[in-house]
Coordinates of all heavy atoms in Angstrom, one line a residue:
R1 N -69.2 -23.3 -20.3 CA -69.8 -22.2 -19.6 C -71.2 -22.5 -19.0 O -71.8 -21.8 -18.2 CB -70.0 -21.0 -20.6 CG -68.7 -20.5 -21.1 CD -68.8 -19.3 -22.0 NE -70.0 -19.2 -22.7 CZ -70.3 -18.2 -23.5 NH1 -69.4 -17.2 -23.7 NH2 -71.5 -18.1 -24.2
G2 N -71.7 -23.7 -19.4 CA -73.0 -24.1 -18.9 C -74.2 -23.4 -19.5 O -75.3 -23.5 -18.9
D3 N -74.1 -22.7 -20.6 CA -75.2 -22.0 -21.1 C -75.7 -22.5 -22.5 O -76.6 -21.9 -23.1 CB -75.0 -20.5 -21.2 CG -73.7 -20.1 -22.0 OD1 -73.2 -21.0 -22.7 OD2 -73.4 -18.9 -22.1
G4 N -75.0 -23.5 -23.0 CA -75.3 -24.0 -24.3 C -74.9 -23.2 -25.5 O -75.2 -23.5 -26.6
L5 N -74.0 -22.2 -25.3 CA -73.6 -21.3 -26.3 C -72.0 -21.4 -26.5 O -71.3 -21.6 -25.5 CB -74.0 -19.9 -26.0 CG -75.5 -19.6 -25.8 CD1 -75.7 -18.2 -25.4 CD2 -76.3 -19.9 -27.0
D6 N -71.6 -21.1 -27.7 CA -70.1 -21.1 -27.9 C -69.6 -19.7 -27.6 O -70.3 -18.8 -27.1 CB -69.8 -21.5 -29.3 CG -70.3 -20.5 -30.4 OD1 -70.7 -19.4 -30.1 OD2 -70.3 -20.9 -31.6
A7 N -68.3 -19.5 -27.8 CA -67.7 -18.2 -27.4 C -68.3 -17.0 -28.1 O -68.3 -15.9 -27.6 CB -66.2 -18.3 -27.8
E8 N -68.9 -17.2 -29.3 CA -69.5 -16.1 -30.0 C -71.0 -15.9 -29.7 O -71.7 -15.1 -30.2 CB -69.4 -16.3 -31.6 CG -68.0 -16.1 -32.1 CD -67.1 -17.3 -31.9 OE1 -67.6 -18.5 -32.0 OE2 -65.9 -17.2 -31.5
G9 N -71.5 -16.8 -28.8 CA -72.9 -16.6 -28.4 C -73.9 -17.4 -29.3 O -75.1 -17.4 -29.1
A10 N -73.4 -18.3 -30.2 CA -74.2 -19.1 -31.0 C -74.4 -20.4 -30.3 O -73.6 -20.9 -29.5 CB -73.5 -19.3 -32.4
P11 N -75.5 -21.1 -30.6 CA -75.8 -22.4 -30.0 C -74.6 -23.4 -30.3 O -74.1 -23.4 -31.5 CB -77.1 -22.9 -30.6 CG -77.8 -21.7 -31.1 CD -76.6 -20.7 -31.5
L12 N -74.3 -24.2 -29.4 CA -73.2 -25.2 -29.6 C -73.7 -26.2 -30.6 O -74.8 -26.6 -30.7 CB -73.0 -26.0 -28.3 CG -72.2 -25.2 -27.2 CD1 -72.2 -26.1 -25.9 CD2 -70.8 -25.0 -27.6
Q13 N -72.7 -26.6 -31.5 CA -73.0 -27.6 -32.5 C -72.2 -28.9 -32.2 O -71.2 -28.8 -31.5 CB -72.5 -27.0 -33.9 CG -73.3 -25.8 -34.3 CD -74.8 -26.1 -34.5 OE1 -75.1 -27.0 -35.1 NE2 -75.6 -25.2 -34.0
P14 N -72.7 -30.0 -32.6 CA -72.0 -31.2 -32.4 C -70.6 -31.2 -33.0 O -70.4 -30.7 -34.1 CB -72.8 -32.3 -33.1 CG -74.1 -31.7 -33.3 CD -73.9 -30.3 -33.4
P15 N -69.6 -31.7 -32.2 CA -68.2 -31.7 -32.8 C -68.1 -32.6 -33.9 O -68.8 -33.7 -33.9 CB -67.4 -32.1 -31.6 CG -68.3 -32.8 -30.6 CD -69.7 -32.2 -30.9
M16 N -67.4 -32.2 -34.9 CA -67.2 -33.1 -36.1 C -65.8 -33.6 -36.2 O -64.9 -33.0 -35.6 CB -67.5 -32.3 -37.4 CG -68.9 -31.6 -37.4 SD -70.2 -32.8 -37.2 CE -70.4 -33.4 -38.9
G17 N -65.6 -34.7 -36.8 CA -64.3 -35.2 -36.9 C -64.3 -36.8 -36.8 O -65.3 -37.4 -36.6
E18 N -63.1 -37.3 -37.0 CA -62.9 -38.8 -36.8 C -62.9 -39.2 -35.4 O -62.3 -38.5 -34.6 CB -61.7 -39.2 -37.5 CG -61.7 -39.0 -39.0 CD -60.4 -39.4 -39.7 OE1 -59.4 -39.7 -39.0 OE2 -60.4 -39.5 -40.9
Q19 N -63.5 -40.3 -35.1 CA -63.4 -40.8 -33.7 C -62.6 -42.1 -33.7 O -62.8 -43.0 -34.6 CB -64.8 -41.1 -33.3 CG -64.9 -41.7 -31.9 CD -66.3 -42.0 -31.4 OE1 -67.2 -42.0 -32.2 NE2 -66.4 -42.3 -30.1
R20 N -61.6 -42.1 -32.9 CA -60.7 -43.3 -32.8 C -61.2 -44.1 -31.6 O -61.4 -43.7 -30.5 CB -59.3 -42.8 -32.6 CG -58.8 -42.0 -33.8 CD -57.3 -41.7 -33.6 NE -56.8 -40.9 -34.7 CZ -56.4 -41.4 -35.9 NH1 -56.4 -42.7 -36.1 NH2 -56.0 -40.6 -36.8
I21 N -61.3 -45.4 -31.9 CA -61.8 -46.3 -30.9 C -60.8 -47.4 -30.7 O -60.3 -48.1 -31.6 CB -63.2 -47.0 -31.4 CG1 -64.2 -45.9 -31.7 CG2 -63.6 -48.0 -30.4 CD1 -65.4 -46.4 -32.3
R22 N -60.4 -47.5 -29.4 CA -59.4 -48.5 -29.0 C -60.2 -49.8 -28.7 O -61.1 -49.9 -27.9 CB -58.6 -48.1 -27.8 CG -57.5 -49.1 -27.4 CD -56.6 -48.6 -26.4 NE -55.9 -47.4 -26.7 CZ -54.8 -47.3 -27.5 NH1 -54.3 -48.4 -28.0 NH2 -54.3 -46.1 -27.7
H23 N -59.8 -50.9 -29.4 CA -60.4 -52.2 -29.2 C -59.7 -53.0 -28.1 O -58.6 -52.6 -27.6 CB -60.4 -53.0 -30.5 CG -61.2 -52.4 -31.6 ND1 -62.4 -52.9 -31.9 CD2 -61.1 -51.3 -32.3 CE1 -63.0 -52.2 -32.9 NE2 -62.2 -51.2 -33.1
R24 N -60.3 -54.0 -27.6 CA -59.7 -54.8 -26.6 C -58.3 -55.3 -26.9 O -57.5 -55.5 -26.0 CB -60.6 -56.0 -26.3 CG -61.8 -55.7 -25.5 CD -62.6 -56.9 -25.1 NE -64.0 -56.6 -25.2 CZ -64.9 -57.5 -25.4 NH1 -64.6 -58.7 -25.6 NH2 -66.2 -57.1 -25.5
S25 N -58.1 -55.6 -28.2 CA -56.8 -56.1 -28.6 C -55.7 -55.0 -28.6 O -54.5 -55.2 -28.7 CB -56.9 -56.5 -30.1 OG -57.2 -55.5 -30.9

């Protein structure tokens, strides 16, 4: 939405979770 807020009007928080990284191999 470009306003820094989530659907409930609260400030966006960093997403949490595992990050998968594809290596060159």
Side-chain angles (χ1 to χ4, degrees):
R1 298 183 334 179
D3 60 4
L5 303 174
D6 65 15
E8 288 80 38
L12 286 171
Q13 298 297 314
M16 303 303 278
E18 294 178 347
Q19 180 179 11
R20 298 185 181 274
I21 300 171
R22 183 172 302 279
H23 292 255
R24 285 186 215 152
S25 66

